[in-house]
Amino acid sequence: MTHPTETTATADDPFLWLEDIYAEKGLEWVRAENALTEDALLTPGFEARERGILEVLDSTDRIPMVGKHGDFYYNFWRDAEHRQGIWRRTTWDSYASDAPAWELLLDVDALSAAEGTEWVWGGALFLRPAEGAPHERVLVVLSPDGGDAARYREFSLATLDFVDGGFDIPTAKSRIGWAGPDALHVGTDFGPGSMTSSSYPRTVRTLRRGGDLASAEQYFEVDVDHMMALVAHDSTPGFERDIAVDTIDFYTRRTYLRQDGGWHLIEVPEDASISLHREWLIVRPRTDWTTEGTTYRAGSLLVIGLESFLAGGRSFTTVFSPDPSTSLQSWSWTRDYLLLNLLRDVSSEIRILDPGKDWSAELLDACPPLHSVDAYAVDDEDDAAGNDYWLIATGFLTPSTLHRGTIGGEHTSVKSSPSYFDEDRFTVEQHFAVSDDGTRVPYFQLAPKDLVLDGGNPTLLSGYGGFEHSMTPAYSGVIGRGWLERTTEDGRQGVYVLANIRGGGEYGPQWHHAALHANRHRAYEDFAAIAEDLMQRGVTSPALLGCTGRSNGGLLVGNMLTTYPHLFGAISCGVPLLDMRRYTKLSAGYSWIAEYGDPDKPEEWEYVQTFSPYHLLRDDVAYPKTLLWTATSDDRVGPVQARKMAAKMKDLGIGDVWFHEALEGGHAGAADNRQAARMHAMSFEFLWRALTGSL
């Protein structure tokens, strides 16, 4: 179809002042817009629904997911009592019981109160202990505002306190790992020239205990226009090694192995994903790869002995090869087996491969249709549990369950999530729409069992379509309470639809490649085709169809707003990319050129402008009601794109435009459950009232 374009020059952009994130003028504008939106949406009914969503997020009956380190199982937990969360651990027998006894390791609420900083948990990096010794040291990662920039602090599991004089790396967009008991590999902001154009570390230094960060010895560096430098130490006994990764962009990288005092390139295609596991090198090419006369298909998984490869061997074993319906999503090693998590038409399939029997494969019987099931190792180095695996199963109407099993034996349920809405009233179906170029595009429909196909049902269409990220079935009490259980005056309940459009990874790298750069429009055509299919099937009509998306999904629904406004009655656009002329200059945007293209190259701006919502806005189009929402502290996409879009829409005289910006929360839009509940409730409230005529 023909795409309207408006090539407003950057110099003529009247809303550049909103790009100064913390300038008082911009924040005054934000506060004024927030007040208008809150006045419209925050009714007593809204507050009741918000409480219902917060009950889901704060529920103490949720599965406390754990990671095993040594003899303990570690968990981070948030609820109403612990708004910022607690880090804790327990034993297996305790965890498997109905009432685990947790040992408190770190109370982030108490830490925040003591230090006067609203810390947001970012994880913990464990140091491998000496053989036979318990885990004692970790690096705790904490963000001061929920953004990507974080502080790394050494913590003792013996004293349950931060180590006096221990490692403490100041807040920055860092990539850090243990180099040994008394050293770290540190990629961080060392000052001018140490960060890439994508705002990530360009250099990695080795910091010795007691040493000064500024004078630490440089160990690895990448070009400034590459995305990021990273060094990781593999401490597996018998396979100790340093690995460096030069991430050129989101999909290309060079991986090096430290040998004989220098870095040696592992010679595989730059667009391949690789990993090292003990004696094995694992490669997943993203495009077809021909080596030594053999062509390996994009999306396949290849294995070879590392020593053989380094000696020049290229006799890979193909342990997975995709077909038109089946793609590899992830893999995990137990002590003696390799687990593959696959999608077959967006339903899970799990295979167990035995390298001791020429990589023979068996199916794990644990995957019902239209469900998502993931398997991964519990602890491949544990003498007793080396071949144990976790199994997490979920579906739109199936609360998540956590199982534990042993390869060759049975798996049993360990924990189950509670029910948060009346699932028996609904049914799940998978349908396929036909896009403009004839491609069949799957989508899931979650609807009442008594759905009347007369076009009269309020329907919410959600999607993402980028970065090879797959959208899979998952239980959500938030969607159940926030959307499905709402009822119109004539008794209609909400319908929820999840799109599996190109740009994602549902069918492997080919599905992703199909919507890159100049072909970006295919993702949007797929989404629009699903909208049209819902109408042709009688599920809904344009006035009753809303759509929602975040981040790249925000760009998706921004294009629905500007290119397909006739298909939707309301759009909720969260933490979005929208100004594709300047996205490479805002926050981490430079790192996404591999996905979208470079607007500073005239030949690429020719196609990038066709999916830049900020430049596609016109004053003679009837647009759907629109909510744009973001977070001040989002240092990945940043709040300025949503700000500028809202300001421009209002300046053009476009009505029914609302804007809201959380003053903290990072790219997730929320730093705790309370903020997340407000964000979810506001989006659902806006969409429901906009579609049903009460806004």
Side-chain angles (χ1 to χ4, degrees):
M1 65 176 297
T2 300
H3 296 264
T5 59
E6 179 192 321
T7 54
T8 303
T10 299
D12 296 332
D13 186 346
F15 304 107
L16 285 177
W17 59 276
L18 286 168
E19 292 185 6
D20 191 345
I21 295 174
Y22 294 101
E24 186 55 34
K25 180 181 178 183
L27 290 175
E28 286 180 1
W29 180 90
V30 167
R31 286 190 284 267
E33 293 296 327
N34 281 358
L36 291 173
T37 301
E38 291 169 4
D39 286 347
L41 297 180
L42 272 57
T43 64
F46 167 89
E47 293 169 356
R49 283 181 282 273
E50 181 184 28
R51 285 193 299 272
I53 291 173
L54 184 58
E55 286 175 3
V56 173
L57 300 177
D58 277 344
S59 170
T60 57
D61 293 330
R62 290 173 289 130
I63 298 175
M65 300 302 297
V66 292
K68 182 180 180 297
H69 298 275
D71 294 332
F72 291 98
Y73 293 77
Y74 292 77
N75 164 261
F76 183 74
W77 183 260
R78 288 193 186 105
D79 58 24
E81 183 180 351
H82 309 98
R83 186 173 68 87
Q84 289 164 269
I86 54 174
W87 188 41
R88 57 191 186 172
R89 69 182 179 184
T90 191
T91 63
W92 170 249
D93 288 341
S94 174
Y95 182 71
S97 71
D98 292 335
W102 296 97
E103 177 187 8
L104 177 65
L105 304 176
L106 180 64
D107 185 328
V108 181
D109 295 83
L111 177 69
S112 298
E115 298 186 345
T117 299
E118 292 288 305
W119 292 114
V120 178
W121 178 259
L125 306 176
F126 285 75
L127 170 67
R128 179 188 291 275
E131 186 175 356
H135 285 80
E136 184 178 341
R137 296 294 175 92
V138 297
L139 288 177
V140 168
V141 186
L142 297 165
S143 167
D145 56 12
D148 288 348
R151 181 178 174 187
Y152 289 67
R153 303 165 71 177
E154 189 175 8
F155 186 87
S156 169
L157 294 172
T159 65
L160 302 185
D161 202 355
F162 292 105
V163 176
D164 187 21
F167 292 115
D168 188 349
I169 311 302
T171 299
K173 281 190 176 182
S174 303
R175 294 296 184 270
I176 298 173
W178 290 100
D182 296 305
L184 302 177
H185 291 317
V186 179
T188 193
D189 188 349
F190 295 104
S194 67
M195 304 296 276
T196 67
S197 302
S198 298
S199 76
Y200 294 106
R202 190 178 76 84
T203 63
V204 178
R205 302 185 187 186
T206 301
L207 176 64
R208 309 291 176 184
R209 188 174 296 280
D212 179 61
L213 184 62
S215 58
E217 180 183 359
Q218 183 165 298
Y219 196 42
F220 183 68
E221 68 175 328
V222 303
D223 292 343
V224 68
D225 61 346
H226 289 190
M227 180 177 169
M228 183 170 56
L230 172 71
V231 174
H233 178 67
D234 184 348
S235 60
T236 305
F239 301 95
E240 294 87 351
R241 54 205 167 196
D242 279 356
I243 302 157
V245 181
D246 173 4
T247 301
I248 301 169
D249 57 41
F250 249 85
Y251 310 112
T252 59
R253 62 194 54 79
R254 299 174 187 139
T255 303
Y256 299 84
L257 189 63
R258 190 74 174 182
Q259 291 181 314
D260 303 321
W263 293 111
H264 294 266
L265 178 67
I266 297 177
E267 296 181 351
V268 298
E270 290 184 349
D271 67 350
S273 300
I274 75 169
S275 63
L276 301 179
H277 178 78
R278 297 189 181 134
E279 71 268 34
W280 301 110
L281 168 66
I282 306 96
V283 182
R284 179 182 181 259
R286 299 188 72 253
T287 53
D288 289 352
W289 176 33
T290 300
T291 180
E292 299 295 321
T294 301
T295 298
Y296 301 100
R297 296 183 58 192
S300 58
L301 192 67
L302 317 175
V303 181
I304 192 172
L306 178 61
E307 292 302 321
S308 172
F309 181 85
L310 295 176
R314 294 297 182 268
S315 297
F316 287 93
T317 298
T318 302
V319 298
F320 170 78
S321 185
D323 62 43
S325 299
T326 311
S327 66
L328 173 67
Q329 298 292 299
S330 64
W331 63 89
S332 177
W333 291 87
T334 70
R335 183 181 58 197
D336 300 307
Y337 300 91
L338 177 61
L339 297 168
L340 303 185
N341 291 300
L342 312 176
L343 285 182
R344 185 181 294 275
D345 281 331
V346 207
S347 288
S348 289
E349 179 181 299
I350 299 170
R351 297 180 191 174
I352 303 170
L353 306 185
D354 185 349
K357 295 182 179 179
D358 198 27
W359 302 98
S360 63
E362 293 184 4
L363 290 179
L364 183 62
D365 184 15
C367 304
L370 307 187
H371 280 67
S372 176
V373 186
D374 290 307
Y376 57 96
V378 172
D379 183 351
D380 68 298
E381 295 184 19
D382 187 283
D383 289 338
N387 285 321
D388 284 7
Y389 58 87
W390 298 116
L391 196 69
I392 303 174
T394 186
F396 291 110
L397 300 176
T398 307
S400 300
T401 57
L402 174 67
H403 298 78
R404 182 168 178 169
T406 301
I407 293 177
E410 299 295 322
H411 59 268
T412 58
S413 176
V414 179
K415 303 285 181 186
S416 296
S417 288
S419 166
Y420 293 112
F421 63 99
D422 187 358
E423 300 88 5
D424 290 340
R425 295 162 57 190
F426 301 91
T427 186
V428 177
E429 298 174 355
Q430 185 181 45
H431 297 272
F432 289 80
V434 178
S435 197
D436 285 2
D437 64 355
T439 300
R440 295 177 74 245
V441 183
Y443 65 92
F444 294 101
Q445 175 184 296
L446 178 53
K449 288 181 176 178
D450 60 356
L451 182 70
V452 178
L453 296 177
D454 64 353
N457 304 291
T459 301
L460 177 57
L461 174 57
S462 178
Y464 189 76
F467 297 93
E468 205 177 332
H469 176 66
S470 301
M471 306 297 286
T472 55
Y475 184 84
S476 173
V478 170
I479 293 172
R481 290 190 175 187
W483 187 259
L484 296 174
E485 290 195 330
R486 294 194 71 156
T487 306
T488 64
E489 292 182 358
D490 61 352
R492 302 294 186 104
Q493 290 180 276
V495 176
Y496 179 77
V497 178
L498 182 65
N500 301 116
I501 60 178
R502 283 174 286 183
E506 290 87 345
Y507 291 103
Q510 300 93 323
W511 198 245
H512 175 234
H513 287 156
L516 288 180
H517 288 245
N519 292 322
R520 196 77 200 169
H521 59 89
R522 289 177 177 164
Y524 310 140
E525 289 167 359
D526 290 356
F527 200 75
I530 293 172
E532 291 170 339
D533 196 60
L534 290 168
M535 296 169 201
Q536 291 168 4
R537 293 179 43 241
V539 175
T540 192
S541 57
L544 289 171
L545 178 60
C547 65
T548 184
R550 288 191 272 177
S551 190
N552 175 75
L555 176 62
L556 165 68
V557 300
N559 275 277
M560 294 303 106
L561 171 73
T562 52
T563 307
Y564 300 94
H566 58 287
L567 295 180
F568 299 93
I571 291 177
S572 173
C573 182
V575 288
L577 287 129
L578 294 166
D579 180 356
M580 301 304 289
R581 185 70 182 89
R582 288 184 51 74
Y583 85 93
T584 60
K585 299 173 175 60
L586 302 171
S587 298
Y590 192 88
S591 63
W592 307 321
I593 288 175
E595 181 81 9
Y596 304 118
D598 188 347
D600 289 333
K601 295 179 179 178
E603 69 276 14
E604 295 189 21
W605 174 240
E606 282 299 312
Y607 63 76
V608 172
Q609 66 179 319
T610 68
F611 56 85
S612 180
Y614 188 67
H615 297 89
L616 298 178
L617 286 170
R618 294 168 49 177
D619 59 7
D620 59 349
V621 174
Y623 290 108
K625 297 177 181 178
T626 304
L627 171 67
L628 297 129
W629 53 271
T630 186
T632 308
S633 60
D634 179 3
D635 54 3
R636 194 175 307 170
V637 169
V640 301
Q641 303 212 31
R643 289 181 183 182
K644 290 171 61 181
M645 187 74 168
K648 185 172 182 177
M649 291 179 75
K650 293 195 172 194
D651 185 65
L652 289 172
I654 299 169
D656 294 320
V657 179
W658 283 264
F659 173 89
H660 196 271
E661 182 173 320
L663 298 181
E664 55 189 348
H667 189 52
D672 57 36
N673 290 345
R674 182 186 59 189
Q675 294 170 14
R678 170 59 56 92
M679 177 265 293
H680 287 301
M682 187 171 290
S683 179
F684 287 135
E685 183 76 5
F686 162 78
L687 287 162
W688 186 268
R689 290 176 55 189
L691 296 177
T692 59
S694 57
L695 181 63

